[in-house]
Amino acid sequence: MSVNPAFAYNHGDYAAEINTNYTAFAGPGVRNLGLDGTKAANGPNSAGPNSGQVEVVNSGTTGTWVDETDIRPTLIYLTGLKDDYEHDGRVITEILTAPNRALAAPGVASLGACYKQLNSSVGQFGAFTLHASTAAIESSTPGDARYRAVDATLAGLDKLRDSLALRVKGELEAAAFGDQRINGAAGQTIVCKGLISAAGALAKRP
């Protein structure tokens, strides 16, 4: 094995064409939805002057938002098995024909969807905080005042995000594999959306 010091290889990017994938589910317990989202031909691609510049959240794709961490818990749920650890992802309730009572309860699917936007690295929260951080690093205010202020705000948002995300992750896991009811799902969704909005406001701050 050899290393070429003239070439810095980085597997992955924040670009939509790198971070957008398709996954398919079929079989017992899975709804027949057909294509739930944007056709491949209309998805993000690497052609043209904006190659690599469009993020997932701005790529115009539609459908149920999922990432790779959701695949395993969904398969485990559909097969009736259980893991010996808590998943970072969630069971994709939107594709189930008959979710259990806890997952089918009002507001749970919306909470799960917001959780993904809050916790996925390429979700809305991740994109907004990346914009805010990048703008702060590029700023030239005296004494790095803007950078320090934004960095402090991001640290606060990070703690709030972690607290809510960890709680919701555990609740979604218990709902899926223990049929345990999630209390206050609608309220938690409001808090989730509020955190994302706060990150968005920080990203737009001049």
Side-chain angles (χ1 to χ4, degrees), residues 54-196:
V54 178
E55 300 166 6
V56 175
V57 294
N58 297 321
S59 65
T61 54
T62 60
T64 303
W65 176 282
V66 300
D67 58 23
E68 291 182 2
T69 60
D70 302 322
I71 297 174
R72 183 179 177 89
T74 302
L75 292 176
I76 293 293
Y77 179 86
L78 287 169
T79 53
L81 301 174
K82 287 188 178 181
D83 267 320
D84 58 358
Y85 62 89
E86 185 176 85
H87 302 97
D88 282 329
R90 58 141 183 160
V91 173
I92 309 168
T93 55
E94 292 87 345
I95 70 168
L96 304 179
T97 57
N100 65 25
R101 287 178 297 176
L103 290 179
V108 172
S110 295
L111 178 61
C114 192
Y115 165 73
K116 299 309 305 182
Q117 294 294 345
L118 184 68
N119 207 46
S120 174
S121 60
V122 294
Q124 292 172 338
F125 187 87
F128 287 145
T129 53
L130 177 64
H131 280 257
S133 178
T134 301
I137 291 172
E138 293 176 342
S139 65
S140 58
T141 52
D144 286 333
R146 179 177 179 180
Y147 171 78
R148 294 176 184 275
V150 170
D151 191 54
T153 303
L154 287 172
L157 285 173
D158 185 52
K159 289 181 179 179
L160 293 172
R161 188 278 309 272
D162 286 353
S163 176
L164 180 62
L166 285 171
R167 176 180 175 180
V168 172
K169 179 175 73 169
E171 290 176 333
L172 292 173
E173 183 86 355
F177 299 103
D179 203 10
Q180 296 182 27
R181 179 180 177 182
I182 298 178
N183 294 314
Q188 290 186 85
T189 302
I190 291 173
V191 175
C192 177
K193 290 181 178 179
L195 286 173
I196 294 172

Side-chain angles (χ1 to χ4, degrees), residues 26-48:
V30 179
R31 295 171 61 195
N32 183 7
L33 297 173
L35 176 63
D36 177 24
T38 307
K39 293 182 179 180
N42 298 327
N45 61 72
S46 297

